[in-house]
Amino acid sequence: MAQQQQMKHALQQCIDAQKDELHSLSRDIWSNPELAGNETQAHDRLVRFFSRDKTWTVDSHYKLPTAFRAVWDPVGGRERALNMGFLCEYDALPGIGHACGHNLIAEVGAAAALGLKAALENQSELLQPVKITVLGTPSEEAIGGKIDLIKAGAFTDMDLVFMAHPAQQDAPFLPGVALDEVIVKYYGKASHASAYPWEGVNALDAAVLAYNNLSALRQQLKPEWRLHGIIKHGGEKPNIIPAYTELEYYLRTPLVKDLFDLKAKAEACFRAAAVATGCQVEIIYPYNSYYNILPIATLANLYKNNGEALGIQFPEQPNNFSGSTDFGNVSYVVPGIHPFFYICTDALNHTEEYAVAAGAEKAQLYTLRTAKALAMTAVDVVCSPDLLQKVREDFSQAKLKQGKHLEGTDTSLTAP
């Protein structure tokens, strides 16, 4: 116990000593918002940040153009080390910049990794060597960069993963929801809308029918299920019967097993509209499916205890949370934790007000406090083989509850 407390004290001192550099890192990312897949400046800034210390082995453009990896391995691969992973996000939103605070996610990941490194240095009494991997994971707001990194093998040798996300309050665990984005294209036949409309096949009618079909479907959906969308293209001119229309929808359910059911219902609505109007329909899922986050109660409880020791207050948790993240997919591959943290604002994520708060200096206290709690949680697991075993048991049980519903899906997302 004394060793753990010394390690926790060391990591807090380390994070405090580097608070200016960490704030500068976050502020630089915040000042140059980049959309998913285009985070070149954020990638380069984080690579430079870790490359300052030659004890980190840094790989730029790691498996994806704007991903990176930084590894601290004191045994140099000579023996199997417990691999503790910390994830950084850094993509922004169109038009409103870092309104989801991903600059702070990058800062938390970097700070927690530096803190854990400081705690582990010169520790010779640990039962197993420990290494640290920081993984820069781009494209969370679209595409799902973590899922592409899973498929590329970036998480293969990790034992645990840690990250934290800004929100309106502190929470050790919120499950999020599974998500699929669907693009629906209707193909009809153009004709003059007044002179000879009977010669046309109206793709806009198909889009409107599909929209209304889905609106009617909501009455029969479970209360926690969500579908919401827009007509992205509705035609060219009022006097031309539209030959092409396009809709974009998001489908969300609390559990990935339910997402398959919702997709089937939505697709029936899309196809019915095509049949009714005589149009051809194309249904496309352009990006990776996002999974709900698996609960690891042992990690959540450790994080809560460490957070409370640092002064974090955890109010009563909301009954549901409808946000989605590609960390959910990671949670099916590696046991991990994805807490949420307050940044001194009541503004909602994905608003201009939240973007301002994410770049404000007053967010730093809460951001670095969260990083300390993450690193302290990692110390608890590193120092206790029993806790590590309990985490692995939680992980196995959580996957078992979901596993039957994932049969036939991409096994790279469900393998242990």
Side-chain angles (χ1 to χ4, degrees):
M1 185 65 70
Q3 180 190 28
Q4 281 179 253
Q5 292 306 315
Q6 290 174 358
M7 293 171 70
K8 291 181 178 182
H9 180 67
L11 72 85
Q12 292 179 60
Q13 284 188 315
C14 170
I15 292 173
D16 287 339
Q18 300 199 53
K19 64 180 182 180
D20 292 339
E21 290 86 350
L22 290 161
H23 186 196
S24 176
L25 171 68
S26 172
R27 185 72 184 185
D28 286 349
I29 296 172
W30 181 87
S31 299
N32 297 282
E34 299 166 299
L35 301 183
N38 297 287
E39 313 95 326
T40 55
Q41 294 183 70
H43 163 276
D44 294 349
R45 182 67 174 85
L46 282 155
V47 166
R48 290 196 304 272
F49 181 84
F50 282 99
S51 296
R52 302 172 307 163
D53 181 348
K54 299 306 179 184
T55 63
W56 291 94
T57 301
V58 183
D59 298 310
S60 60
H61 313 294
Y62 179 69
K63 299 188 182 294
L64 297 176
T66 54
F68 76 91
R69 183 179 69 172
V71 177
W72 178 75
D73 186 1
V75 297
R78 293 186 300 275
E79 55 183 303
R80 175 70 170 93
L82 186 66
N83 191 357
M84 311 295 276
F86 294 89
L87 308 186
C88 297
E89 294 178 8
Y90 33 87
D91 59 328
L93 290 161
I96 50 176
H98 279 288
C100 208
H102 289 193
N103 60 302
L104 300 178
I105 297 177
E107 182 181 1
V108 165
L114 295 182
L116 181 59
K117 175 178 176 289
L120 293 171
E121 287 174 325
N122 303 317
Q123 291 292 332
S124 59
E125 298 179 6
L126 297 176
L127 296 178
Q128 182 178 3
V130 180
K131 74 175 184 178
I132 301 169
T133 298
V134 181
L135 197 59
T137 61
S139 304
E140 190 276 338
E141 293 290 355
I143 304 171
K146 295 182 190 63
I147 304 167
D148 289 334
L149 287 168
I150 291 170
K151 294 175 180 178
F155 291 89
T156 300
D157 66 341
M158 287 192 190
D159 292 288
L160 279 82
V161 288
F162 301 82
M163 68 168 286
H165 197 297
Q168 288 71 53
Q169 65 182 47
D170 287 282
F173 173 76
L174 292 174
V177 296
L179 164 70
D180 250 320
E181 178 179 349
V182 58
I183 302 293
V184 183
K185 300 180 179 182
Y186 289 105
Y187 301 94
K189 179 183 177 184
S191 181
H192 195 291
S194 178
Y196 29 86
W198 54 87
E199 295 291 338
V201 178
N202 197 320
L204 180 57
D205 284 346
V208 170
L209 281 175
Y211 187 95
N212 289 332
N213 287 346
L214 291 168
S215 295
L217 175 64
R218 287 192 181 95
Q219 185 180 16
Q220 275 71 50
L221 297 183
K222 295 180 180 179
E224 300 84 7
W225 293 15
R226 296 287 185 271
L227 51 84
H228 40 98
I230 58 172
I231 298 176
K232 292 185 67 176
H233 185 82
E236 304 298 338
K237 292 185 67 178
N239 62 348
I240 303 173
I241 287 179
Y244 171 78
T245 55
E246 181 177 327
L247 300 92
E248 180 179 3
Y249 265 83
Y250 283 3
L251 312 176
R252 303 181 195 255
T253 58
L255 302 175
V256 68
K257 67 186 181 71
D258 294 328
L259 187 59
F260 304 135
D261 294 336
L262 180 56
K263 286 168 66 174
K265 293 176 184 293
E267 287 181 16
C269 291
F270 296 137
R271 298 188 192 281
V275 171
T277 57
C279 291
Q280 300 297 312
V281 62
E282 184 179 9
I283 301 173
I284 303 167
Y285 294 92
Y287 304 124
N288 297 304
S289 300
Y290 285 25
Y291 289 7
N292 55 288
I293 302 174
L294 292 183
I296 306 295
T298 300
L299 286 179
N301 291 334
L302 290 172
Y303 177 82
K304 185 173 184 288
N305 292 338
N306 284 307
E308 288 174 340
L310 294 169
I312 298 177
Q313 296 181 356
F314 296 95
E316 184 177 351
Q317 303 305 302
N319 291 328
N320 56 67
F321 175 70
S322 56
S324 303
T325 171
D326 55 1
F327 185 87
N329 301 65
V330 176
S331 76
Y332 280 76
V333 178
V334 186
I337 187 172
H338 182 283
F340 291 81
F341 64 98
Y342 175 70
I343 63 167
C344 199
T345 181
D346 294 325
L348 300 176
N349 294 61
H350 290 215
T351 64
E352 293 180 357
E353 294 80 7
Y354 205 85
V356 172
E361 186 172 354
K362 61 185 180 181
Q364 286 300 296
L365 168 66
Y366 306 93
T367 301
L368 296 182
R369 188 169 64 176
T370 298
K372 293 173 184 177
L374 279 182
M376 291 164 68
T377 301
V379 166
D380 287 334
V381 177
V382 164
C383 291
S384 174
D386 290 341
L387 280 176
L388 178 60
Q389 180 59 33
K390 185 66 172 67
V391 167
R392 288 171 171 163
E393 290 172 1
D394 289 351
F395 180 54
S396 296
Q397 288 299 315
K399 282 205 305 178
L400 187 62
K401 291 179 180 179
Q402 292 284 337
K404 293 180 180 179
H405 306 285
L406 297 176
E407 293 176 359
T409 63
D410 185 348
T411 56
S412 67
L413 302 183
T414 58

